[in-house]
Amino acid sequence: MFEKILIANRGEIALRIHRACREMGISTVVVHSTADANGMAVRFADESVCIGPPSARESYLNVPAILSAAAITGADAIHPGIGFLAENASFAQMVEEHGFAFIGPTAEHIRIMGDKISAKSAVTAAGLPVVPGSEGAITDFEDAQSLADTVGYPVLIKAASGGGGRGMRVSRGPDDLKDAFDEARSEARSAFGDDAVYMEKYLEKPRHIEVQIIADQHGNCVHLGERDCSVQRRHQKVIEEAPSPSLSADEREYIGNLAAKTARELGYRGVGTMEFLYEDGNFYFIEMNTRLQVEHPITEMITGVDLVREQIRVAAGLPLSFRQEDIVFQGHSIECRVNAENSETFAPCPGTITNLHVPGGLGVRIDSPIYAGYKIPPHYDSLLAKLIVHGANRDECLMRLKRALEEFVVEGVDTTLPLHHRLVREPEFIRGDYNIHWLERVLADRKS
Ligand code: ADP
């Protein structure tokens, strides 16, 4: 097992990884920018190294600085966390070339899954259903036109290198196809430096269902059930729950086993998430994330598995500590992402937290690096805290979530807590009757 792990990330995920290491008796090195010198993970870590100024390009994306920090502190492995370099294949490769273990999949798997076109063709070959659409990139508008006629409107133009919901445009008919095509390409070019786009049928009422898998380096792969992440704003997840209120036990087993089988056939290692859209009883693969997900705690709550610990174990070459038949789903879990944003306009609200009270009690978990007096830097994403609740069933989970939200006090900055208070009271949410377009509709109704 590793003796020292360097955590190449910040915020709540750096803290989450540090916690797993601590419980495993592994020392931690947390790297940070000058803006994060007072971060909670930095304070708790055994060692910390400042790797650059606030700009992520010069710190959390600064590969030479991170590798040097690992070398001078004598770390054996690097955990990339979520975001920043977590899905950067050349970083994974460089980490290994410099003699450190990369806590994640091989550079080759990151590369295949990082390009959504190659990801779709890899999983199709393994038997996963995908959204109907183009088989590869579309470069000519004429090709886009004839394909859209075949697939049938509405269609979605998506960036091959896309992420975070960017580089995506819907076209409802031939009249707006040109605009959607051009806009998706130019957004993809400026956001990802790659203007390759592809086309998918735009589904009108799907749910976003994703399957958590974990594979060791001995050919074992287990799925840990699904998460329903359909409550989204601008294609970004806001609330997640596990299990999905819409799947039957048979559907859960079917898609879980299929995802695990696919990962096994691809020779995948580490944690990964296969994302699907689910409509009218059918699953359509959309992408695979080759890293931990922000919403991984809800899976931990219903399975009792520490995903980060298991991820570290398989990276060290140990076999999975459980088999598929050992995984038993217990109860229900919901996560609310609490952001430092205005809950009406969603404008980011960095600043100082003047007063803080976090909820507690049975079945309540907070993954967050904040404390009273903490100054939220303006340079990074606005995730402040993940409120994760577990109950014996969905009703109990919802009651507990409402209660926990009432106890949550953050003063000094705007947060999205008021939005969550409202959403957990929406009758459709309570019934579990929502799809990926639901939240946008709720927000639009509020404005009108
Ligand atoms: P990103 O990598 O930017 O997150 P994804 O491919 O994972 O992009 O899609 C993000 C979200 O966009 C999905 O959860 C879903 O809400 C929406 N989406 C993606 N593909 C489709 C589609 N074919 N039809 C309808 N909505 C889609």
Side-chain angles (χ1 to χ4, degrees):
M1 183 42 70
F2 307 125
E3 283 177 12
K4 193 186 273 190
I5 291 178
L6 181 137
I7 302 169
N9 216 296
R10 63 176 303 282
E12 69 84 20
I13 200 65
L15 185 57
R16 170 70 189 88
I17 298 161
H18 166 80
R19 284 174 170 155
C21 293
R22 196 87 187 153
E23 292 179 14
M24 296 172 81
I26 300 171
S27 305
T28 53
V29 181
V30 169
V31 294
H32 65 90
S33 71
T34 49
D36 282 331
N38 290 321
M40 208 52 145
V42 174
R43 291 180 175 204
F44 285 151
D46 295 295
E47 291 168 81
S48 62
V49 181
C50 180
I51 49 164
S55 125
R57 198 170 45 78
E58 295 174 90
S59 52
Y60 298 104
L61 297 172
N62 184 344
V63 176
I66 292 169
L67 293 177
S68 307
I72 56 167
T73 54
D76 330 284
I78 298 185
H79 196 309
I82 296 176
F84 298 123
L85 297 165
E87 288 172 295
N88 184 315
S90 49
F91 176 65
Q93 192 171 332
M94 268 188 269
V95 166
E96 297 198 333
E97 281 168 2
H98 283 77
F100 308 107
F102 179 72
I103 303 180
T106 61
E108 184 56 18
H109 283 122
I110 299 178
R111 208 165 275 130
I112 294 171
M113 295 303 169
D115 180 289
K116 295 188 186 183
I117 296 172
S118 62
K120 279 179 89 171
S121 67
V123 304
T124 312
L128 277 189
V130 298
V131 189
S134 59
E135 269 175 27
I138 314 174
T139 40
D140 292 335
F141 179 63
E142 284 77 48
D143 293 342
Q145 276 178 312
S146 58
L147 190 66
D149 289 337
T150 319
V151 170
Y153 288 94
V155 294
L156 188 61
I157 312 289
K158 297 172 84 170
S161 308
R166 281 174 304 166
M168 241 188 262
R169 288 291 183 282
V170 184
S171 164
R172 298 231 155 246
D175 294 348
D176 65 8
L177 185 64
K178 182 91 177 85
D179 286 348
F181 186 70
D182 292 344
E183 284 173 26
R185 287 188 83 172
S186 79
E187 191 169 303
R189 196 178 311 118
S190 59
F192 314 108
D194 169 15
D195 67 0
V197 294
Y198 62 107
M199 185 186 290
E200 276 179 2
K201 172 94 187 146
Y202 180 69
L203 302 179
E204 299 278 9
K205 51 180 177 55
R207 298 181 78 114
H208 173 116
I209 306 268
E210 57 183 37
V211 178
Q212 176 71 57
I213 58 109
I214 179 158
D216 64 20
Q217 302 184 45
H218 306 276
N220 304 301
C221 182
V222 167
H223 77 82
L224 295 162
E226 85 286 7
R227 295 181 286 260
D228 192 321
C229 312
S230 304
V231 179
Q232 300 181 352
R233 178 178 169 271
R234 299 200 173 159
H235 307 300
Q236 300 267 36
K237 298 159 191 170
V238 175
I239 298 180
E240 302 97 350
E241 60 180 311
S244 168
S246 66
L247 290 199
S248 67
D250 284 350
E251 287 174 309
R252 172 164 309 114
E253 202 181 313
Y254 159 76
I255 198 64
N257 287 337
L258 195 55
K261 173 177 158 284
T262 304
R264 209 177 294 123
E265 279 173 20
L266 293 171
Y268 189 81
R269 71 161 199 225
V271 298
T273 297
M274 297 207 185
E275 298 191 335
F276 299 88
L277 295 178
Y278 171 79
E279 190 174 86
D280 299 329
N282 297 309
F283 291 95
Y284 306 94
F285 171 91
I286 48 171
E287 70 163 335
M288 178 171 187
N289 290 318
T290 53
R291 53 165 168 80
L292 208 59
Q293 302 269 108
V294 172
E295 58 276 19
H296 77 275
I298 55 174
T299 298
E300 298 184 319
M301 301 304 270
I302 64 160
T303 59
V305 170
D306 179 334
L307 270 167
V308 181
R309 181 202 297 167
E310 208 58 33
Q311 180 188 29
I312 293 170
R313 284 174 48 92
V314 298
L318 294 173
L320 279 177
S321 60
F322 43 76
R323 291 159 304 173
Q324 190 64 59
E325 52 271 33
D326 299 326
I327 302 298
V328 181
F329 302 112
Q330 267 175 339
H332 198 94
S333 184
I334 302 182
E335 171 181 281
C336 292
R337 295 192 190 193
V338 181
N339 291 343
E341 286 169 8
N342 183 287
S343 71
E344 301 281 326
T345 62
F346 297 97
C349 185
T352 301
I353 295 174
T354 52
N355 193 17
L356 176 71
H357 179 267
V358 294
L362 184 64
V364 177
R365 164 176 170 182
I366 301 281
D367 277 22
S368 172
I370 63 175
Y371 52 87
Y374 177 66
K375 195 162 177 282
I376 304 161
H379 318 281
Y380 315 106
D381 69 33
S382 56
L383 182 63
L384 263 194
K386 304 190 298 201
L387 168 60
I388 305 126
V389 168
H390 183 259
N393 52 45
R394 193 166 185 271
D395 283 348
E396 185 178 274
C397 189
L398 276 171
M399 296 299 288
R400 190 162 281 160
L401 178 57
K402 268 190 217 160
R403 183 280 280 170
L405 281 166
E406 282 160 11
E407 292 177 14
F408 208 158
V409 179
V410 183
E411 287 172 6
V413 295
D414 287 346
T415 76
T416 50
L417 278 168
L419 173 70
H420 290 296
H421 280 281
R422 173 171 177 210
L423 294 181
V424 298
R425 286 172 177 76
E426 289 286 338
E428 289 168 326
F429 183 74
I430 292 170
R431 289 200 303 273
D433 177 17
Y434 56 82
N435 60 43
I436 60 164
H437 306 300
W438 175 76
L439 177 56
E440 299 277 7
R441 238 185 17 247
V442 171
L443 295 173
D445 288 350
R446 179 171 70 185
K447 283 209 191 92
S448 59

